[in-house]
Amino acid sequence: LKKRQDTSTPAVPYQQVEYLVNIAVAGQKLNLDFDTGSADLWVFSDSLPASSKKGHNIYTPSSSPSYKVLSGHKWSIAYADGSGASGTVGTDTVTIGGTSVTNQAVELADRISSSFVTDGLDGLLGLSFSSINTVKPTQQKTWFDNAKASLSSPLFAAYLPFNANGAYDFGYLDSAHYSGTPVYAPVDDTNGFWEVASTSYKVGGTTHSLPGNTGILDTGTTLALMVDSAVSAYYAQVSGAVNSRSLGGWVFPCKGTTLPDLSVRLGPTNYATIPGKLLNFQPADASGTQCYGGLQSVGGGTMNVYGDVFFNAFYGIFDANGPRFGFAPL
Ligand SMILES: Cc1cc(CN)n(C)n1
């Protein structure tokens, strides 16, 4: 698994950093973004315009003897960051690590939004619940849903250390990827996400309650996105922090700032503490004067999004038995 840092200045509320994993679709190797916040497996296909295909690995169904068209099926997905893709559907054998799934729905993109052209990925592999897969008229299952019966345990775990190679462990927990003992929170899959109760947080020695709030564990989102009251309370602890419209979110002086830790409650009991040093995402402007925060606003609603910033601090365990989400410090 390779981490790719998107170094462009954020023009949108948060950047997409891809965790690229090499998978083989019928022997054709592709770098896919493993996304626990969506349920579609889609790939750059040869039906894309030549300009979109440049620099990418392209899946060519015609050169795969095991590919079958899923006739009359279409898909179309729109992500929270404004990106999107759509196309047709087939099935093929998809192998990750040592596990192959035959007749896996592989969604062929014939249209993709511009951000995917510049990103180093060749598609996405959805790892949320299959209930939000976008294929019509017959909804399709995720690779994990199809694979889990053949795994030693019906779980996978995300190991995504900051600025280092990471891994996804399917079917087992790798003790080299975490410390201590994992703690677990019940998952409510009603919305198709790995969603847990997240009703309070701690910053600067104060505990703040967020009655009725939840959080989704989303490896496809780069940052931690929380409701505005929490984001304001956090940056109130950071001198010089401002919410900059022009820079696309909360920024603070790069020089001389020590960011506070942020503890978020996951489930009924446990808090996960993200060290402040992981909450400095990147310089927000060419001069490097202002730095862009790893915590940004989720916009409206009561659902926080715990993205890669969270996984930079915690091994994340997605366990279909329950379902439940476990975490342990890296
Ligand atoms: C492409 C993509 C995936 C996600 C998270 N599920 N976002 C926000 N964008």
Side-chain angles (χ1 to χ4, degrees):
L1 181 139
K2 193 159 60 67
K3 179 185 174 192
R4 176 183 174 277
Q5 181 78 29
D6 182 334
T7 52
S8 60
T9 306
V12 289
Y14 47 92
Q15 288 302 299
Q16 189 56 40
V17 170
E18 283 70 47
Y19 286 91
L20 309 178
V21 192
N22 233 317
I23 76 155
V25 184
Q28 300 182 37
K29 286 209 174 303
L30 301 166
N31 291 317
L32 301 185
D33 181 359
F34 280 24
D35 177 14
T36 61
S38 66
D40 286 51
L41 194 176
W42 69 262
V43 296
F44 276 54
S45 79
D46 48 1
S47 35
L48 281 168
S51 56
S52 300
K53 293 189 277 193
K54 267 181 74 177
H56 291 274
N57 299 299
I58 304 301
Y59 173 64
T60 313
S62 56
S63 52
S64 168
S66 44
Y67 176 80
K68 285 182 231 148
V69 173
L70 210 49
S71 64
H73 284 68
K74 294 269 186 188
W75 62 282
S76 178
I77 194 162
Y79 299 100
D81 59 1
S83 62
S86 61
T88 60
V89 191
T91 61
D92 211 335
T93 301
V94 177
T95 304
I96 301 175
T99 304
S100 289
V101 169
T102 53
N103 303 316
Q104 170 65 42
V106 177
E107 301 170 31
L108 312 179
D110 50 37
R111 299 181 67 168
I112 54 173
S113 60
S114 56
S115 62
F116 290 120
V117 178
T118 47
D119 276 339
L121 57 85
D122 309 319
L124 261 82
L125 187 130
L127 291 167
S128 72
F129 293 89
S130 300
S131 59
I132 58 172
N133 173 267
T134 74
V135 174
K136 290 177 178 161
T138 313
Q139 194 172 53
Q140 300 298 307
K141 287 188 170 183
T142 67
W143 184 88
F144 173 65
D145 248 356
N146 287 323
K148 66 188 180 190
S150 59
L151 298 173
S152 9
S153 296
L155 61 82
F156 65 92
Y159 171 65
L160 304 175
F162 178 71
N163 265 356
N165 282 340
Y168 280 81
D169 303 319
F170 285 97
Y172 73 102
L173 302 184
D174 185 336
S175 56
H177 290 163
Y178 64 94
S179 52
T181 308
V183 292
Y184 289 85
V187 161
D188 173 359
D189 60 7
T190 310
N191 298 316
F193 300 117
W194 292 91
E195 186 171 6
V196 299
S198 192
T199 56
S200 62
Y201 65 95
K202 294 190 264 192
V203 61
T206 304
T207 301
H208 303 261
S209 72
L210 291 175
N213 276 46
T214 64
I216 67 169
L217 285 309
D218 182 0
T219 57
T221 290
T222 307
L223 305 181
L225 309 174
M226 293 183 75
V227 296
D228 285 329
S229 59
V231 177
S232 301
Y234 181 81
Y235 288 111
Q237 303 292 320
V238 181
S239 56
V242 293
N243 190 0
S244 163
R245 189 182 302 279
S246 59
L247 293 173
W250 282 89
V251 297
F252 51 84
C254 299
K255 256 191 170 159
T257 297
T258 303
L259 290 172
D261 298 347
L262 170 67
S263 299
V264 294
R265 194 173 186 176
L266 299 181
T269 318
N270 300 102
Y271 284 86
T273 300
I274 304 171
K277 67 178 180 342
L278 290 175
L279 289 165
N280 180 345
F281 180 56
Q282 64 184 14
D285 54 25
S287 70
T289 313
Q290 303 272 64
C291 274
Y292 194 77
L295 173 66
Q296 295 294 339
S297 170
V298 74
T302 58
M303 183 193 280
N304 298 322
V305 179
Y306 299 124
D308 299 329
V309 160
F310 172 87
F311 294 96
N312 289 166
F314 291 92
Y315 187 58
I317 302 163
F318 299 81
D319 188 346
N321 248 335
R324 63 180 188 165
F325 176 76
F327 55 101
L330 293 190

